[in-house]
Amino acid sequence: MVLSSTTAAPQPDPDLQTGLQYLRAGWFDRAEPLFRAALGRYGERPDILHYLAVCLSQRGALSDAEAMWRKALAKDPNEPMLSYNLGLVARRQGRLDEAARRFRDTIRRTPAHVEARLALASIHIDMGRFAAAERELVEFVGKLDQAIQEQGSEALKPLQARARNMLGYALYRMGHFSPAIDVLDMAMADAGDDAARRGQILGDRALALGGLGHFDEAIAEAGRALEFAPESASLNHVVGFVLYHAGRPTDAIAPIQRALEIDPAFTAALKTLALAQAAAGKGDEAVDLLRRALRADPQDRDAVLQLSNLYIEQEKFAESLEILEARLESAPDDVRALNNQGLALRGLKRFEEARRALKRASRLASDDPLVLTNLGRVLVDLGRAAEARTLHEHALRGLPGDSRLLAHYGACLAVLGERDKARETLDAALAANPDNAEALAARTSLET
């Protein structure tokens, strides 16, 4: 926690002076009783409430700390540090919308509050609002560049490295892989000898290289990143993540497990490990991992969707429907959840219900290739292959050359009696993925 420069005690007090010295030294347990003594003498003064709240937050008493900061802000509503610290404590308790509001309030009162600006951008990233994070960070980076040029000072370079690192990551998450690499290269130049920052930048650069499909480079970059911080859970996870997406799920397992040894609460690593385990043929282990993630957060959308997908692959269609139920009750317009519901219902041969779920999904996402192709499959099941054909063709315009979509389209053409075109389409599906069992089965059936 950063201490306010505008909440100093109006008169010298030995407890406050000593407490502040302890606070700056990080000795929060020693500082707390001194601030409590001062609180007893002077009452609920904003500065004393603030200092005491810092101590409470450091020992994990977040609710008590928050109550004190709220009292302090009510007494001194123009003090930006109080709203900033309320934002920090709200974030630690998972109340991200409130945290963002507090950081915006801090910036409104103190436009030059660097930590609040970066915290707000970080909140946007945590909430998946990557375009909003990009806007914040582009403006911030531009102002820092101007300040560096005007002052001719290198002192701002570490801050610029941090901001550019965040911007590069936001661009990566938006799918802008090449621009992300360009920004991360500039961040690396700004980082100087900061090993921790250089490792983080290289890790994010590895992710962007993987997004471009340059997996050999990505794996090498992730390895270099890990050399800077071998005990970093995040960078061990990056290594595993890149290996998994490079088609090496068995190799990915060990570094992801190491990430979880370092940080057992690393939920993203749990979900990546589940993907790797499933791809390596360890479906039961993957299910256990995802159930563990859901015990920690029953509202974890990604874990729900991942587990429902895994159950569908295992042909446990009833279990998939069960895991989706709560998600669809709370978010009935979740397209991916509706898509999985449709697949599970199809697996149970409840074709009309499957059609309704996928039709709803298609209304919400009219160009989603997977939703369209799955709706087409159900229409073929219902004897409506002519309607399904246009959906498959629409889907392939979105994902041309996708083996799954080609297999579904080929099966539809076969039902329509267009055997030559069906063979051609299914051959293309197998050329794209020789292990596509559905395409192989449909292709074989054309020869019998």
Side-chain angles (χ1 to χ4, degrees), residues 376-392:
R377 295 166 76 193
V378 172
L379 288 174
V380 170
D381 295 329
L382 291 168
R384 297 162 60 177
E387 296 174 57
R389 176 177 187 158
T390 58
L391 292 171
H392 289 306

Side-chain angles (χ1 to χ4, degrees), residues 133-295:
E134 181 196 14
R135 288 192 298 272
E136 291 282 344
L137 290 164
V138 165
E139 179 184 355
F140 185 71
V141 164
K143 289 180 177 178
L144 274 181
D145 269 340
Q146 183 178 354
I148 291 169
Q149 290 170 9
E150 290 175 353
Q151 298 172 19
S153 171
E154 297 292 307
L156 294 174
K157 286 294 185 72
L159 183 60
Q160 186 70 301
R162 179 180 166 194
R164 282 195 167 120
N165 191 174
M166 292 173 66
L167 176 57
Y169 181 75
L171 289 167
Y172 155 72
R173 292 299 302 269
M174 295 169 71
H176 303 329
F177 304 126
S178 293
I181 291 171
D182 292 340
V183 170
L184 291 167
D185 286 344
M186 289 188 282
M188 184 66 84
D190 292 328
D193 296 328
D194 184 341
R197 178 60 59 195
R198 291 174 72 83
Q200 185 62 54
I201 293 166
L202 285 173
D204 291 340
R205 198 174 186 280
L207 294 173
L209 285 167
L212 289 170
H214 301 163
F215 291 115
D216 289 341
E217 292 178 65
I219 293 165
E221 197 84 321
R224 284 193 290 272
L226 195 59
E227 290 174 5
F228 283 101
E231 295 304 307
S232 165
S234 173
L235 292 179
N236 275 281
H237 177 238
V238 166
V239 172
F241 185 90
V242 171
L243 285 166
Y244 166 74
H245 286 282
R248 294 168 54 182
T250 303
D251 295 335
I253 291 172
I256 305 171
Q257 286 176 332
R258 178 61 187 141
L260 287 164
E261 288 171 8
I262 297 167
D263 181 3
F266 194 169
T267 306
L270 271 179
K271 291 181 283 190
T272 307
L273 182 56
L275 287 171
Q277 296 277 31
K282 300 178 179 179
D284 291 340
E285 290 91 332
V287 167
D288 290 342
L289 288 165
L290 292 168
R291 288 203 168 277
R292 176 177 154 191
L294 287 170
R295 283 195 297 272

Side-chain angles (χ1 to χ4, degrees), residues 11-179:
Q11 63 184 48
D13 178 276
D15 283 344
L16 287 177
Q17 287 179 331
T18 305
L20 282 170
Q21 290 172 358
Y22 285 152
L23 209 59
R24 294 187 180 105
W27 296 340
F28 304 104
D29 56 335
R30 298 184 186 183
E32 183 177 337
L34 297 175
F35 292 137
R36 287 194 182 278
L39 190 69
R41 288 196 300 277
Y42 298 111
E44 294 184 338
R45 246 172 44 186
D47 59 327
I48 301 173
L49 287 168
H50 170 63
Y51 300 143
L52 186 52
V54 170
C55 296
L56 292 171
S57 71
Q58 289 296 323
R59 64 175 171 84
L62 300 182
S63 296
D64 292 340
E66 181 178 15
M68 288 197 174
W69 272 316
R70 287 182 184 276
K71 283 184 182 179
L73 188 62
K75 293 173 180 291
D76 188 3
N78 293 318
E79 172 49 60
M81 187 53 63
L82 298 174
S83 57
Y84 172 68
N85 281 351
L86 276 169
L88 291 180
V89 79
R91 180 178 189 170
R92 287 177 67 184
Q93 295 178 87
R95 304 198 310 272
L96 299 185
D97 282 321
E98 181 183 344
R101 179 172 60 81
R102 295 290 185 186
F103 294 140
R104 279 192 289 267
D105 185 56
T106 305
I107 294 165
R108 180 178 60 81
R109 296 179 187 282
T110 310
H113 199 301
V114 167
E115 291 298 331
R117 286 191 174 276
L118 291 179
L120 179 58
S122 180
I123 287 285
H124 287 321
I125 289 172
D126 288 347
M127 299 180 75
R129 299 171 180 170
F130 301 112
E134 181 196 14
R135 288 192 298 272
E136 291 282 344
L137 290 164
V138 165
E139 179 184 355
F140 185 71
V141 164
K143 289 180 177 178
L144 274 181
D145 269 340
Q146 183 178 354
I148 291 169
Q149 290 170 9
E150 290 175 353
Q151 298 172 19
S153 171
E154 297 292 307
L156 294 174
K157 286 294 185 72
L159 183 60
Q160 186 70 301
R162 179 180 166 194
R164 282 195 167 120
N165 191 174
M166 292 173 66
L167 176 57
Y169 181 75
L171 289 167
Y172 155 72
R173 292 299 302 269
M174 295 169 71
H176 303 329
F177 304 126
S178 293

Side-chain angles (χ1 to χ4, degrees), residues 287 291 294 298-300 303-312 315-330 337 340-345 348 350 353:
V287 167
R291 288 203 168 277
L294 287 170
Q299 305 302 316
D300 187 329
V304 167
L305 294 173
Q306 200 173 323
L307 182 54
S308 66
N309 264 330
L310 188 53
Y311 278 140
I312 289 167
E315 298 187 357
K316 296 178 178 178
F317 304 114
E319 288 90 337
S320 181
L321 286 177
E322 182 183 355
I323 208 74
L324 288 165
E325 185 176 354
R327 175 64 193 170
L328 285 167
E329 284 179 3
S330 62
N340 286 9
Q341 182 188 43
L343 289 174
L345 289 165
L348 293 169
R350 292 158 59 179
E353 293 174 74

